Amino acid sequence: MQTSLNARVPASSSARSATLMGRLVRNRWLYFMVLPGLLYFLIFKYWPMYGIFIAFKDYQPFLGFWDSPFVGLKHFDRFFSDSNFLVLFRNTLILAAYNILFFFPLPIVIALMLNELRQEFVKRTVQTLVYVPHFMSWVVVVGIAYIFLTTEGGIVNEMLVRFGGEKINFLVSNEWFRTIITAEVIWKETGWGTIIFLAALAGVDPQLYEAARMDGANRLRQLWHITLPAIRSTIVILLILRLGHFLDTGFEQIFLMLNAMNREVGEVFDTYVYSVGISQGQYSFSTAVGLFKSVIGLILVVVSNYLAKKFGEEGIY
Amino acid sequence: MPLKPSWGSRAFDSVNIALLVAFALLTVIPFIYVIAGSFATQKELLQRGFILFPTEFSLDAYKYIFSTQTLVRSLLVTIYITVTGTLINIFFTCLMAYPLARKDMDFRKPILMLVVFTMLFSGGMIPTFLVVKQLGMINSYWSLLIPSAISAFNLIIMRNFFQQLPDGLEESAKIDGCNDLGIFFRIVLPLSMPAIATFSLFYAVGHWNTYFNAVLYINDNTKWPIQVLLRQIVILASGGIGDSTAMDAEFAPPEQSVKMAVIVISTLPILLVYPFLQKHFAKGVLLGSVKG
């Protein structure tokens, strides 16, 4: 009856003293609770990882996973020598770079501006409003963009005509695709992105500001010497996360914005995997493409985390 | 404020406010335009261009979209998925997060690593699709509920939240003869309602906005959630909304306002919940920060 005796001792000391077997029995309900979640991760996250092997096979549904013939790196060879490869790589890189250059700094800037606001009411109202688009789906955001930009009665084109310009077919043009994608991201997520920085800013010791004022620092200098350093580690962590997901910039959004006319600049790895894999049923080939992307993504996370640590920041793991 | 704000400081404030208000307006005006446009008549939309408030109020667009079966059916599908899905999410997330928060459980670290790794690397779209297919979930609502039952990110934040609860709670409950299941359901869960509310909202928004999974897993268009239908109407503009071929040309209101009305209908429910839970956001997001 070791368990019932142990129940009267503080948990930590009993955990140390009991044998593994004893602890397993005593904590049986905890394991029971963990089980469904564990199964979930094994089935829906790890089973697909195992399924990646079809990238090295010629998967045929009626033969099944095991009996499909093994073909080694055939699909990778085909992909790398394909002319699509460079196009996909370029499109993905450029869209991701736009995202980091034009979108990433904005929530920081807005958070800093909000933090300087002393009028509580204005601050709260602005915050409430700028969070809203985050809760809209990409279909809604892209839908609104369509309504604004269409040549058939879209307000932007109506205005262009009214001011003596010509209609621009934004939605099926190669030149405007990246700009529109980035603008949509900015519209949808900038406000929401401020939350984490605002929380970091709330933790700054007000005495620091007082001391700086005594030393004659104006608002901009206070911002530069106190506020910015205070959120530096948050910025770095979010940048790492962003870099780690560098290659999967807004899949749903791009998928929705793509059409036959802008595919040349808009097709990215993920949308390609969908069209080749699901629409055309080339499971093995598209899995190889997806694997290539995931591995690059994993390398990006590991490298950027390593760099962050090297520069004295905390990193994400 | 012992010091009187200087001139420079006040100029700084005014510019700051002006820019922020401009940004906030830029954020909401497109949506207000869509709402206004959904109530406007064709004539006014064309003549006045940018409307933020229609002078002639028309419900035609709404009458039209609700006169067809399609929209109502999609809306019901989405409501069903949102409610069931969120319950599943919350139940399984909490159930797994709690043991992982208990310091006396063995194998806690390896299980956590297993979870964290899924955030860094995944099987990808095709292998996941094949698993869902193999499990016979294609064309069933289960495919929208089960494969996304737990978000690793939310799980870790939830676990960090549970970890902050005082250990004494559990010990005293144990002494009173409560087992771990009892502690979880009768003590830990009731104490975690603010966190649960926040995550419910996040999960619910996810289900309400579910789009791509439905494209992947649901081929049967009578089972489409509202977002898929929305894309069909607004983006692909595939001729009205009709499940009925009897599209009455005379009654049909302007295409533009029908599109706007569908956008409003598919967004409004989520926006109505939002103010009630807004105060929890910042707390919820930061419950456990990013670290595992």
Side-chain angles (χ1 to χ4, degrees):
Chain A
M1 287 285 107
Q2 198 179 7
T3 48
S4 62
L5 278 175
N6 274 342
R8 297 197 172 273
V9 188
S12 56
S13 69
S14 70
R16 243 178 280 126
S17 60
T19 61
L20 178 64
M21 205 50 213
R23 289 197 303 266
L24 290 182
V25 173
R26 194 165 49 86
N27 287 333
R28 59 192 176 281
W29 287 115
L30 294 180
Y31 294 103
F32 179 72
M33 286 158 78
V34 139
L35 199 62
L38 199 58
L39 279 177
Y40 166 77
F41 279 97
L42 291 178
I43 294 175
F44 290 102
K45 301 292 167 186
Y46 283 90
W47 189 7
M49 286 187 207
Y50 173 67
I52 284 175
F53 283 112
I54 67 169
F56 305 96
K57 293 185 160 209
D58 261 336
Y59 178 73
Q60 276 138 19
F62 54 90
L63 283 179
F65 183 88
W66 273 116
D67 298 323
S68 296
F70 182 80
V71 295
L73 294 176
K74 181 181 125 185
H75 299 298
F76 292 91
D77 275 344
R78 187 185 138 200
F79 180 48
F80 293 140
S81 54
D82 191 339
S83 64
N84 279 328
F85 175 71
L86 278 178
V87 175
L88 293 176
F89 213 91
R90 192 193 63 205
N91 291 346
T92 310
L93 279 183
I94 295 179
L95 280 171
Y98 268 46
N99 196 291
I100 289 197
L101 278 177
F102 300 113
F103 166 65
F104 186 77
L106 270 179
I108 303 172
V109 173
I110 300 286
L112 290 173
M113 288 168 72
L114 279 169
N115 193 50
E116 294 293 327
L117 266 188
R118 285 97 169 262
Q119 293 76 3
E120 265 305 306
F121 174 75
V122 183
K123 187 172 172 179
R124 209 166 297 158
T125 315
V126 170
Q127 271 181 280
T128 307
L129 293 181
V130 297
Y131 291 165
V132 167
H134 171 77
F135 294 92
M136 298 180 181
S137 70
W138 272 116
V139 191
V140 167
V141 175
V142 173
I144 293 177
Y146 264 67
I147 283 181
F148 269 74
L149 299 175
T150 174
T151 46
E152 291 148 37
I155 186 77
V156 175
N157 274 316
E158 293 297 314
M159 291 291 170
L160 278 177
V161 171
R162 206 165 290 186
F163 292 110
E166 266 178 49
K167 286 191 177 182
I168 300 173
N169 211 339
F170 294 100
L171 297 166
V172 290
S173 90
N174 282 345
E175 298 93 68
W176 287 92
F177 185 81
R178 288 168 183 143
T179 313
I180 297 170
I181 290 279
T182 313
E184 283 172 2
V185 176
I186 289 173
W187 185 73
K188 187 175 192 286
E189 300 296 349
T190 300
W192 187 252
T194 61
I195 282 192
I196 195 146
F197 296 109
L198 283 172
L201 289 169
V204 183
D205 185 354
Q207 287 189 349
L208 290 174
Y209 290 105
E210 212 158 301
R213 262 205 303 277
M214 288 303 171
D215 292 342
N218 65 18
R219 297 276 288 276
L220 278 174
R221 286 196 81 90
Q222 291 172 33
L223 189 83
W224 183 253
H225 290 290
I226 300 170
T227 316
L228 265 184
I231 56 171
R232 198 181 60 189
S233 65
T234 311
I235 296 178
V236 171
I237 287 184
L238 290 183
L239 194 59
I240 298 173
L241 288 174
R242 182 58 46 86
L243 286 174
H245 291 276
F246 197 70
L247 297 183
D248 32 36
T249 322
F251 164 59
E252 228 179 61
Q253 178 199 12
I254 294 172
F255 180 78
L256 286 161
M257 290 291 295
L258 265 190
N259 50 49
M261 305 301 291
N262 58 24
R263 208 161 279 279
E264 203 183 311
V265 293
E267 188 91 271
V268 292
F269 288 114
D270 286 322
T271 53
Y272 187 68
V273 169
Y274 175 81
S275 64
V276 175
I278 305 291
S279 308
Q280 297 169 26
Q282 300 185 39
Y283 292 139
S284 286
F285 177 66
S286 54
T287 302
V289 177
L291 176 60
F292 169 75
K293 205 211 84 174
S294 303
V295 169
I296 303 267
L298 185 63
I299 293 172
L300 282 173
V301 183
V302 174
V303 169
S304 44
N305 196 53
Y306 169 80
L307 286 178
K309 280 188 177 162
K310 198 157 183 184
F311 287 110
E313 296 294 344
E314 265 195 278
I316 48 171
Y317 56 84
Chain B
M1 284 288 156
L3 296 169
K4 207 172 150 223
S6 67
W7 182 86
S9 180
R10 263 182 297 164
F12 182 101
D13 278 336
S14 331
V15 174
N16 192 19
I17 291 186
L19 286 175
L20 281 174
V21 169
F23 178 69
L25 287 178
L26 217 62
T27 313
V28 286
I29 280 181
F31 193 60
I32 294 178
Y33 170 72
V34 169
I35 297 175
S38 71
F39 290 110
T41 55
Q42 170 87 334
K43 211 175 84 200
E44 198 176 0
L45 260 180
L46 284 178
Q47 279 173 355
R48 276 181 57 207
F50 202 77
I51 310 173
L52 292 179
F53 200 84
T55 47
E56 234 180 303
F57 203 75
S58 150
L59 282 174
D60 285 355
Y62 291 93
K63 279 187 198 142
Y64 176 69
I65 58 176
F66 280 107
S67 71
T68 63
Q69 284 277 306
T70 326
L71 187 107
V72 179
R73 191 174 48 211
S74 286
L75 213 51
L76 288 176
V77 168
T78 297
I79 291 170
Y80 168 73
I81 289 169
T82 304
V83 173
T84 330
T86 307
L87 288 174
I88 291 176
N89 288 144
I90 289 295
F91 180 74
F92 285 107
T93 305
C94 292
L95 196 69
M96 188 180 189
Y98 177 67
L100 293 178
R102 285 277 298 268
K103 292 174 196 73
D104 51 339
M105 196 184 86
D106 291 278
F107 309 116
R108 194 167 71 115
K109 276 270 151 66
I111 296 176
L112 260 175
M113 290 312 296
L114 211 71
V115 171
V116 171
F117 184 68
T118 64
M119 292 162 73
L120 303 178
F121 186 79
S122 76
M125 186 192 302
I126 306 294
T128 309
F129 172 79
L130 291 176
V131 166
V132 174
K133 195 173 171 185
Q134 215 146 35
L135 294 171
M137 289 179 172
I138 298 294
N139 265 335
S140 133
Y141 294 133
W142 292 117
S143 64
L144 304 180
L145 303 172
I146 302 298
S148 55
I150 301 177
S151 135
F153 188 77
N154 291 352
L155 174 75
I156 286 168
I157 298 177
M158 199 69 209
R159 167 204 171 245
N160 291 359
F161 176 81
F162 286 146
Q163 228 161 15
Q164 292 165 356
L165 297 174
D167 291 340
L169 277 176
E170 283 140 22
E171 279 160 37
S172 58
K174 267 202 173 154
I175 291 169
D176 292 341
C178 210
N179 68 22
D180 288 316
L181 266 184
I183 296 174
F184 174 68
F185 282 110
R186 284 155 62 181
I187 298 171
V188 173
L189 278 191
L191 281 174
S192 311
M193 277 311 160
I196 290 178
T198 311
F199 284 112
S200 300
L201 176 73
F202 290 161
Y203 276 129
V205 171
H207 286 296
W208 187 272
N209 289 342
T210 211
Y211 164 71
F212 189 70
N213 279 347
V215 169
L216 268 184
Y217 303 135
I218 308 284
N219 306 316
D220 177 354
N221 63 9
T222 62
K223 290 181 177 169
W224 274 352
I226 188 87
Q227 304 292 342
V228 183
L229 181 71
L230 179 67
R231 178 209 183 203
Q232 220 64 20
I233 296 169
V234 180
I235 299 172
L236 301 183
S238 63
I241 186 172
D243 52 351
S244 57
T245 41
M247 245 179 57
D248 189 345
E250 268 170 59
F251 173 63
E255 207 188 315
Q256 199 78 330
S257 37
V258 169
K259 290 179 178 178
M260 290 173 172
V262 184
I263 287 182
V264 173
I265 293 296
S266 54
T267 316
L268 215 56
I270 278 303
L271 295 189
L272 288 180
V273 192
Y274 158 76
F276 295 101
L277 290 153
Q278 199 214 348
K279 58 177 181 226
H280 299 299
F281 291 162
K283 238 186 292 166
V285 170
L286 286 171
L287 278 177
S289 87
V290 188
K291 289 191 72 122

